[in-house]
Amino acid sequence: MNILPRISDTLYHGTIDIISSIDVSKGRSNKDFGKGFYMAVEKSQAIGMMNKKFNEAVRRTKSKDPSQFSKHLYEIKLNKELFPSLKIKYFLDADMEWLDFILLCRSSKEVPHDYDLVVGATADDNTTLCLKYYFDGIYGKVGSDDAKGMLMKNLEVENLGVQYYIGKQAVADKLILSVTEL
């Protein structure tokens, strides 16, 4: 199944943070494509991420008071004229190449690649649990073809959304034209 029908210049980001400008250093390490800024193709996917972040924040506070946090959904406009000049990694499918790339990025505190933009399937909550099982050796020896094969078998790749990743501040500063709260 091809997950990338076209390159989009309108994306979405859901968060509990107020964003006045993009700062890729605020991203967390060990994520799908590395530490950086992530955007969703579908608004519903960004809303889901926003709600997940909100619920996690409330759960992690001692008071469990949801009024301490607010939800923010942003529309991100990209300068599509810059796409040809960027070093872009496209994952057309959630396949073994995609999986190997995610395993590499999730096992590294630093960004283990030099792409300006990465576009591909989002590892959802089910994927995260499956990756934990993989790294814990539940599927077999980490790195073995058998373990990776079992991991791919347990992933529901047809249900994954598409995400865009920027890990370099200079690229974000040029590529992102606007960030508008919806």
Side-chain angles (χ1 to χ4, degrees):
M1 174 189 79
N2 188 318
I3 63 166
L4 187 63
R6 64 179 174 81
I7 296 298
S8 182
D9 61 349
T10 301
L11 302 169
Y12 303 93
H13 181 83
T15 184
I16 59 170
D17 298 315
I18 295 172
I19 297 177
S20 56
S21 64
I22 303 303
D23 182 352
V24 300
S25 71
K26 289 186 177 183
R28 294 187 316 202
S29 298
N30 306 99
K31 301 312 283 174
D32 291 356
F33 301 145
K35 181 177 181 171
F37 185 71
Y38 287 81
M39 300 157 286
V41 171
E42 298 294 330
K43 189 186 296 185
S44 61
Q45 184 182 351
I47 291 170
M49 184 55 69
M50 174 185 65
N51 289 329
K52 178 182 174 185
K53 289 177 182 178
F54 181 85
N55 292 335
E56 285 175 355
V58 170
R59 190 173 56 247
R60 288 182 180 160
T61 62
K62 288 182 182 182
S63 69
K64 308 293 185 215
D65 180 8
S67 68
Q68 295 177 330
F69 307 98
S70 56
K71 299 177 185 181
H72 303 276
L73 180 65
Y74 295 92
E75 180 181 82
I76 314 286
K77 293 284 189 179
L78 302 181
N79 183 350
K80 63 184 176 184
E81 293 176 9
L82 286 181
F83 287 165
S85 67
L86 298 176
K87 184 173 183 183
I88 302 175
K89 177 65 179 170
Y90 301 99
F91 290 101
L92 298 177
D93 293 297
D95 57 12
M96 197 58 76
E97 180 189 13
W98 167 83
L99 178 63
D100 284 339
F101 194 82
I102 286 179
L103 292 173
L104 174 69
C105 292
R106 286 198 171 225
S107 62
S108 177
K109 291 198 184 300
E110 301 298 321
V111 177
H113 60 80
D114 66 344
Y115 294 106
D116 296 322
L117 184 68
V118 181
V119 182
T122 303
D124 64 4
D125 288 342
N126 180 50
T127 305
T128 301
L129 181 60
C130 290
L131 287 168
K132 179 183 178 349
Y133 289 163
Y134 169 82
F135 283 121
D136 287 348
I138 304 287
Y139 298 146
K141 184 177 182 202
V142 174
S144 70
D145 289 343
D146 287 343
K148 289 196 285 187
M150 181 66 76
L151 176 55
M152 280 299 287
K153 182 178 174 184
N154 286 323
L155 297 176
E156 296 180 19
V157 297
E158 67 275 0
N159 295 329
L160 303 179
V162 177
Q163 64 186 345
Y164 281 54
Y165 157 88
I166 301 172
K168 299 174 185 173
Q169 189 63 50
V171 173
D173 293 343
K174 291 179 192 172
L175 185 60
I176 297 173
L177 293 174
S178 65
V179 178
T180 306
E181 188 162 10
L182 300 177

